[in-house]
Amino acid sequence: MVRGRKRKAGRRHPCGKLVRPGKAETLREVTATVLEARQRQYGVSARQAKDERLGSAIGRLAFAGKITPEQLAAAELYGDLMARNRAVMGLPPLHPHSAGGLLLDEGIFGRSVTEYDPDYVAKIRKRATATILMLRTADSDAVAATGRRPSVLVHAVVCYEADASAWGDADVRNLGHGLEALVSLFGIRASCKI
């Protein structure tokens, strides 16, 4: 007769301790979870769910064919530029990666203040200003008389991850117009690969 309590079933560490569920997820398991969620949420096949464009709001528009690859590249450059501009201005990021990151950014836990080179700050601010002015120019010469301004739409989709799948034709046209202005500003060629 065996003495003691019955051994619990499950995976174990080399030392014999039971592996807690959820603690030891492998990269393959995490990826499978993400792909299943994309299939459910966006109604795509397993192969299409692997497309990295489905990971952002602007990428989903490119996946659906509502914007061109050049416009997607311009939107990604715009998002990077706006994030850098927020950083050099001393503002917290729009989307912190975690609650701990948010607490660090707000100075609740030992925030490390980065000192930027003044030339770098001037360069980023100059580029951000030129980009904002280009989008305002796109506002004034937008093709669609109805709908929201291109600058508002571009900023909402790229910086705030606004879901544009249910937007009307006028808003999608204005978004494309704003992205085309960024394509010409950033000098993106039609042969760019994303």
Side-chain angles (χ1 to χ4, degrees):
M1 184 154 135
V2 180
R3 301 183 120 208
R5 176 170 84 173
K6 183 178 175 183
R7 186 177 177 132
K8 293 182 180 178
R11 290 184 10 205
R12 297 190 173 270
H13 291 287
C15 67
K17 187 176 179 182
L18 197 60
V19 175
R20 291 183 151 197
K23 293 280 184 177
E25 278 187 316
T26 64
L27 182 60
R28 178 173 284 158
E29 292 169 342
V30 171
T31 305
T33 303
V34 169
L35 294 179
E36 289 171 10
R38 284 182 179 176
Q39 288 176 13
R40 267 192 330 270
Q41 188 168 7
Y42 305 123
V44 295
S45 68
R47 186 174 184 194
Q48 291 173 328
K50 294 179 182 177
D51 195 331
E52 66 183 32
R53 295 178 296 177
L54 290 174
S56 67
I58 194 73
R60 287 188 291 277
L61 287 174
F63 182 80
K66 293 184 178 181
I67 63 171
T68 65
E70 296 81 21
Q71 291 173 338
L72 177 61
E76 290 173 347
L77 286 173
Y78 174 76
D80 182 54
L81 180 62
M82 290 298 112
R84 287 181 187 204
N85 188 45
R86 286 186 68 82
V88 299
M89 296 297 288
L91 300 171
L94 290 175
H95 303 288
H97 296 289
S98 65
L102 181 63
L103 294 174
L104 283 172
D105 289 336
E106 294 300 322
I108 296 172
F109 295 126
R111 178 182 182 186
S112 63
V113 178
T114 306
E115 293 293 326
Y116 293 101
D117 180 40
D119 293 335
Y120 176 75
V121 172
K123 180 175 142 183
I124 294 296
R125 291 183 72 185
K126 183 177 178 183
R127 285 184 182 174
T129 303
T131 304
I132 291 167
L133 287 175
M134 180 59 94
L135 284 176
R136 289 199 178 146
T137 302
D139 287 347
S140 64
D141 62 352
V143 177
T146 60
R148 294 174 281 178
R149 297 186 324 250
S151 62
V152 172
L153 297 171
V154 169
H155 197 74
V157 172
V158 175
C159 296
Y160 291 107
E161 290 287 319
D163 185 23
S165 61
W167 286 1
D169 289 338
D171 282 344
V172 172
R173 249 190 329 267
N174 283 343
L175 174 68
H177 182 68
L179 291 174
E180 277 302 317
L182 293 178
V183 166
S184 66
L185 176 71
F186 294 139
I188 299 172
R189 304 286 179 249
S191 63
C192 79
K193 301 287 184 206
I194 294 182

